[in-house]
Amino acid sequence: MTHPEVFGEIDHPPRLLMGPGPINVHPRVLRAMSASVLGQFDPEFTTYMNQTMALYRQVFATRNRWTFLVDGTSRAAIEASLVSVLAPGDDVVVLNAGRFGLLLAEIAARCEARVTLVEAPWGEVIAPEAVEAAVRRVRPRLVACVHGDTSTTMAQPIGDLGAICRASDALLYVDATATLAGMPVPTDDCGADIVTAGLQKCLGGPSGSAPITISDRAADHIFARRHIERGLAAGNGEGTGRRIGSNYFDLAMIMDYWSEKRLNHHTEAASMLYAARECARVVLEEGLEARFARHALAGAAVTAGVQAMGLAVYGDPDHKMTNVTGVIAPLGVDHDRVRARMREDFEIEIGSAFGQLAGRIWRIGAMGINARKHAVLTTLAALEAVLRGEGFAHVAGAGVDVALAVYAAGAP
Ligand SMILES: Cc1ncc(COP(=O)(O)O)c(C=O)c1O
């Protein structure tokens, strides 16, 4: 008897994911995810939770006690941060130079905060002086920015932002989804109060768990808004501030869950915690500096390779993310067909783009396990062949040769 509604087992050919994320998951992370699920209050599991906190303190370069995971994709931690800090009517200054800056503004607006944008055109970054002027004028509760905006491939300098915020008693939120463990994200040194990420980029895992770190002063503000669910035990220290406008993303309750209180908030996504823990172990065994250098070298090889093919790289070269490269599609070449042929003929995924860049650039990522010579060279070789097939004239092999030379020369 056949069961047409059952479909087939998932069984696609392995694909090389060279877009802006997700990327191929490290085999050790996949193995960790197959460990048996434990209950979230099992002492073995809470030990893993504490270890995960200790590991991510190192990854985030912070001493913050409150360093843990939010269940969900990167956006879960973004939303948890903004909804837990911002109450309706609060002022927030958002740095916007791409799709993910706009996402911060959108989420803040859904929190009914008053949003002031400090903006730069896509492909550029925002000068700290512009942020300082806005913060002095608005005196916001929070300043929110994206570190590496994958939509434009630009890395916003964040070194001065903490001091600017502290001078006006504002908190600083940084979305480091696309940079954590690939480019330096010095949480404490840049004075960030909340930094969030996801696993599916430089951390080398699948999407679905969002590491977060929170300074004591931000935690104090959030705990002042603590209102525990009525169905749970009372007497956990209610706050006087306005109740946080989301239950799932209530960081006060989530922090109570990750503390000795072990508040029964949600059922922890055990397999994702195993994944996040293993991602951090892989990162720290390699060492942060070595990992940043490996991503920088791969990014330099991609950049030099596509330029040698006669393609232009998108955006301000001085502020380019090392791990994702925007490549301008040449006139007369069908952007989508190139991506389709990369996938169909070579089993390689490269990224398209959003909004004003849709159909104009490809985004090539070299992250996590894919920030390696063979992945970069294979991608360039495939792109060269596809572009030749699409009628774009360039010297055969030029991109791969130059990328090989970058690797031979070593650190960029
Ligand atoms: C900079 C940045 N922030 C946030 C996100 C949203 O992440 P997720 O899709 O994991 O929710 C992304 C995803 O690409 C991103 O690149």
Side-chain angles (χ1 to χ4, degrees):
M1 200 173 117
T2 55
H3 297 280
E5 71 278 17
V6 172
F7 305 110
E9 206 179 326
I10 290 175
D11 184 26
H12 46 261
R15 197 156 287 143
L16 183 59
L17 301 180
M18 298 296 285
I23 54 115
N24 296 90
V25 176
H26 195 290
R28 268 175 54 183
V29 176
L30 290 174
R31 284 201 292 275
M33 291 179 78
S34 65
S36 69
V37 166
L38 294 172
Q40 78 249 40
F41 301 111
D42 184 311
E44 204 143 357
F45 191 75
T46 52
T47 301
Y48 293 150
M49 289 173 70
N50 292 342
Q51 291 171 346
T52 303
M53 295 176 91
L55 290 164
Y56 276 93
R57 278 185 203 109
Q58 299 169 68
V59 176
F60 278 113
T62 184
R63 286 205 282 274
N64 288 340
R65 169 184 181 193
W66 298 112
T67 303
F68 53 97
L69 307 174
V70 176
D71 286 353
T73 68
S74 325
R75 166 185 319 240
I78 299 174
E79 195 141 348
S81 304
L82 297 190
V83 76
S84 298
V85 169
L86 296 171
D90 279 349
D91 277 298
V92 56
V93 167
V94 176
L95 280 68
N96 167 37
R99 181 214 164 167
F100 291 105
L102 286 174
L103 176 67
L104 297 183
E106 204 230 72
I107 295 173
R110 286 176 189 249
C111 301
E112 296 178 48
R114 280 203 304 248
V115 179
T116 300
L117 294 176
V118 183
E119 301 186 278
W122 288 30
E124 297 178 19
V125 296
I126 296 159
E129 296 74 29
V131 181
E132 187 166 26
V135 170
R136 283 206 176 142
R137 182 165 45 83
V138 176
R139 303 201 78 82
R141 160 89 59 212
L142 183 74
V143 174
C145 78
V146 182
H147 185 213
D149 196 318
T150 45
S151 68
T152 64
T153 71
M154 294 296 107
Q156 172 66 41
I158 52 175
D160 296 330
L161 299 185
I164 291 171
C165 289
R166 261 151 226 254
S168 294
D169 207 21
L171 296 170
L172 174 62
Y173 165 80
V174 177
D175 170 5
T177 300
T179 48
L180 190 70
M183 291 180 67
V185 181
T187 301
D188 288 358
D189 285 354
C190 72
D193 291 289
I194 307 183
V195 183
T196 67
L199 300 189
Q200 75 271 26
K201 302 190 195 260
C202 303
L203 282 164
S207 90
S209 176
I212 185 169
T213 186
I214 303 177
S215 70
D216 283 345
R217 70 184 195 128
D220 288 347
H221 173 71
I222 294 167
F223 281 136
R225 302 182 66 193
R226 178 201 268 131
H227 295 278
I228 308 291
E229 268 173 59
R230 277 184 63 194
L232 299 172
N236 272 312
E238 295 286 288
T240 50
R242 184 173 173 135
R243 187 168 71 168
I244 292 166
S246 163
N247 176 304
Y248 190 72
F249 291 134
D250 184 323
L251 284 177
M253 287 203 282
I254 298 174
M255 286 190 278
D256 280 351
Y257 167 54
W258 281 81
S259 78
E260 316 71 59
K261 289 182 183 168
R262 299 288 173 213
L263 180 81
N264 191 350
H265 178 246
H266 60 285
T267 309
E268 183 58 16
S271 309
M272 286 312 304
L273 181 135
Y274 301 156
R277 180 179 175 279
E278 194 60 18
C279 285
R281 277 171 26 81
V282 170
V283 166
L284 296 170
E285 280 174 22
E286 179 176 9
L288 286 174
E289 294 302 327
R291 200 168 173 94
F292 300 152
R294 181 164 61 78
H295 281 80
L297 186 56
V302 170
T303 303
V306 294
Q307 285 172 334
M309 291 160 62
L311 298 167
V313 169
Y314 176 77
D316 173 0
D318 293 337
H319 294 103
K320 191 189 153 308
M321 293 166 71
T322 56
N323 48 314
V324 187
T325 302
V327 181
I328 298 174
L331 278 179
V333 169
D334 185 325
H335 173 275
D336 289 337
R337 206 164 60 213
V338 167
R339 287 184 62 237
R341 289 185 66 171
M342 289 288 284
R343 184 168 43 77
E344 286 159 15
D345 295 339
F346 294 93
E347 300 291 354
I348 298 175
E349 176 176 284
I350 60 171
S352 57
F354 311 114
Q356 56 183 265
L357 292 176
R360 286 183 50 208
I361 67 168
W362 298 294
R363 293 177 301 152
I364 301 181
M367 290 185 270
I369 201 171
N370 292 346
R372 288 198 294 187
K373 189 174 171 182
H374 79 270
V376 168
L377 297 180
T378 307
T379 305
L380 288 171
L383 186 61
E384 288 189 321
V386 167
L387 285 176
R388 260 199 316 282
E390 291 294 312
F392 178 69
H394 58 86
V395 181
V400 172
D401 285 350
V402 167
L404 272 169
V406 169
Y407 267 103

